[in-house]
Each structure stands twice: as C-alpha cells, then as structure tokens.
Amino acid sequence: MKEEDILKTSFGKENPFRVPEGYFEALESRVMNNLPEEKASIRTVAKEIPLWRRLRPYVAAAAFFGVMVGGYLIYQKNNPEAPLPSENVASMMQSDDYNIDTAADYAMLDNEDFYAYLAGE
C-alpha cells in the first residue's frame, strides 16, 4: 500500500478522463443511423452438406469392416487349424507324455517325488 500512497500524493486522486456532455443521450440515435437498412423480407437458406460429409460415417464403417476381415484372414493364414484329438489319438498321447516328461525335467522331479505328489503326501 505504500506505493499506492506515493502515487496518490504525486498524481492526486483526480480522474483525467472525461465524457463529453450529452454523449450517452445521443449515442443510441447515432448508432442506429450508422447501421445499414435491413430488408423486410426474411428468406431461409437451406444449408448444403457436402457429399464427403454425408458419406464419412459409411466410409469409416467400411474401413473398419475391411480391417477386421483382413486381420481375420491374415490370422487364419498364419495359424492353420491343428487336427482334432479324436482324429489322431496316438500322436496326442505321445505329445502329452513328452510334455509331462519335459515338465518333470524342468521341475527337477524324480519318480519318487512325482508319486509322492500324486499320493498327496
């Protein structure tokens, strides 16, 4: 507040800006006289929507559908279907034995540990 007091003492409290006499009384009439004349007829204009704006949702839907179908086809090409177990039971039994042996080797279990686990001891 010290700075404010210094400013008031050096410049005073008087407002240096003044409005001419009768300015606001004649303001409305001056503004209205400067406006262009408005035509009495009111017409409605239909807003024309460009073709691209009308078709944009359909193009987006078609692109999405194309990406989904393309992704599915690529997935099917890279992942051929495996034969069902009922068709090839012997190979399935061999692969299960191999997987169990691999898991037992990985867990470092010998036969005694494996039997104890199965027996619930």
Side-chain angles (χ1 to χ4, degrees):
M1 235 167 122
K2 215 175 199 185
E3 294 175 12
E4 187 176 327
D5 293 336
I6 294 171
L7 289 173
K8 283 182 181 178
T9 56
S10 57
F11 295 108
K13 293 183 179 181
E14 187 176 323
N15 188 357
F17 304 104
R18 304 228 186 274
V19 178
E21 292 294 325
Y23 180 79
F24 289 108
E25 286 82 19
L27 179 64
E28 182 181 352
S29 62
R30 284 191 312 232
V31 170
M32 294 305 285
N33 288 337
N34 288 335
L35 290 176
E37 291 296 322
E38 184 178 339
K39 295 181 181 177
S41 66
I42 297 175
R43 61 181 182 163
T44 58
V45 178
K47 185 177 180 183
E48 185 176 333
I49 300 173
L51 179 65
W52 172 245
R53 284 237 171 146
R54 283 184 279 156
L55 294 179
R56 191 181 338 186
Y58 300 111
V59 171
F64 176 75
F65 182 73
V67 167
M68 295 302 289
V69 168
Y72 177 74
L73 292 175
I74 289 172
Y75 176 76
Q76 288 298 322
K77 182 180 178 184
N78 291 336
N79 294 323
E81 292 185 26
L84 295 175
S86 62
E87 297 172 0
N88 197 355
V89 175
S91 67
M92 184 181 136
M93 289 176 60
Q94 290 173 355
S95 67
D96 283 346
D97 290 340
Y98 174 76
N99 290 335
I100 290 173
D101 289 339
T102 305
D105 289 342
Y106 182 75
M108 291 186 229
L109 295 173
D110 58 355
N111 288 342
E112 291 175 11
D113 293 334
F114 191 69
Y115 294 139
Y117 175 75
L118 290 176
E121 294 177 1

